[in-house]
Amino acid sequence: QVQLVQSGAAVKKPGASVKLSCKASGYTFYNYFMHWVRQAPGQGPEWMGMIDPSGGATSYSQRFQGRVAMTRDTSTSTVYMELSSLASEDTAVYFCARGNLRARLRFDDWGQGALVTVSS
Amino acid sequence: EIVLTQSPGTLSLSPGERATLSCRASQSLSSSYLAWYQQKVGQPPRLLIYGASTRATGIPDRFSGSVSETDFTLTISRLETEDFAVYYCQQYGSSPPTFGQGTKVEIK
């Protein structure tokens, strides 16, 4: 079965960067886009961007452009998301989510989430 | 980007009652590319419905979705205790994909 296992919670200071990982298993890694979606406390989910694991091409939300970078390691079926210049408003749970094969912007499977707390 | 507006914000119902949740899109969605997710506290969202009306694998048939132009509806025919949660709609027809702000279904 599809499994997306994320790295653990992180506490960062304002201005710092955070790099999260998401290890995929149970399917052919190359074939499915992977997305990052975050959810601030009490808010709805927000899409951050996506990566095509086959070639590494990325597409980011304009809201995070210039501050986010998504990469992948095909040898370990792992995707990474690095967010820089953190501020308190970046405190949220960050999820990786696998896109549907045909409807790439639909999220069929999710990781368990990783809480990132930004505090001085 | 497409804005999704969900109503009501909170729905207070008893087990066995019918729940009707709404999601309105700011513009038409290509091919009814709208999904519904259920989220419980401390868990990721779970896909319930896609294509406005198709249940995802393993979703019980008390969940149904419908559409009328830019108005989408999720109906839970008879609420079970495990259905009390927050529900989000999401459009995936154009980038960026966007979510509604959610409807909380709580026990009355």
Side-chain angles (χ1 to χ4, degrees):
Chain A
Q1 76 282 19
V2 174
Q3 280 199 306
L4 303 175
V5 179
Q6 298 185 229
S7 48
V11 179
K12 297 292 181 180
K13 294 196 181 303
S17 297
V18 67
K19 188 172 185 177
L20 305 177
S21 67
C22 172
K23 183 173 176 58
S25 62
Y27 69 97
T28 303
F29 179 68
Y30 297 91
N31 287 350
Y32 296 80
F33 279 48
M34 192 71 80
H35 302 261
W36 288 89
V37 177
R38 78 176 188 181
Q39 189 170 29
Q43 304 297 311
E46 177 182 25
W47 181 75
M48 299 180 69
M50 63 185 178
I51 183 168
D52 177 359
S54 65
T58 56
S59 176
Y60 303 135
S61 167
Q62 281 198 328
R63 182 168 151 79
F64 301 99
Q65 197 83 33
R67 203 161 71 91
V68 68
M70 297 178 189
T71 56
R72 92 287 190 223
D73 181 344
T74 56
S75 68
T76 60
S77 298
T78 301
V79 297
Y80 299 90
M81 189 280 295
E82 184 168 21
L83 187 64
S84 60
S85 302
L86 291 169
S88 58
E89 307 84 76
D90 294 313
T91 294
V93 177
Y94 290 75
F95 296 99
C96 58
R98 190 182 75 142
N100 178 264
L101 188 63
R102 283 179 287 276
R104 292 174 172 172
L105 302 181
R106 188 181 92 207
F107 314 122
D108 287 1
D109 300 281
W110 296 67
Q112 82 275 21
L115 175 62
V116 175
T117 303
V118 183
S119 174
S120 55
Chain B
E1 71 179 46
I2 296 176
V3 176
L4 300 177
T5 303
Q6 291 188 241
S7 60
T10 302
L11 208 46
S12 298
L13 296 168
S14 300
E17 290 193 293
R18 182 185 188 88
T20 303
L21 290 68
S22 295
C23 174
R24 173 168 289 178
S26 60
Q27 55 190 276
S28 63
L29 304 185
S30 56
S31 303
S32 290
Y33 277 4
L34 185 111
W36 289 93
Y37 299 83
Q38 176 193 69
Q39 188 176 31
K40 298 180 181 179
V41 173
Q43 296 184 19
R46 177 175 72 140
L47 179 66
L48 296 177
I49 299 280
Y50 62 91
S53 61
T54 302
R55 280 187 300 277
T57 302
I59 301 304
D61 61 7
R62 64 180 181 273
F63 291 91
S64 63
S66 62
V67 56
S68 174
E69 297 185 5
T70 58
D71 289 340
F72 298 83
T73 301
L74 174 70
T75 301
I76 310 171
S77 59
R78 287 178 58 85
L79 282 164
E80 305 270 347
T81 52
E82 62 264 30
D83 300 336
F84 291 92
V86 180
Y87 292 83
Y88 295 99
C89 57
Q90 180 237 336
Q91 69 80 19
Y92 55 97
S94 64
S95 189
T98 50
F99 291 84
Q101 79 277 23
T103 291
K104 181 180 182 181
V105 179
E106 65 176 22
I107 299 178
K108 186 174 182 180

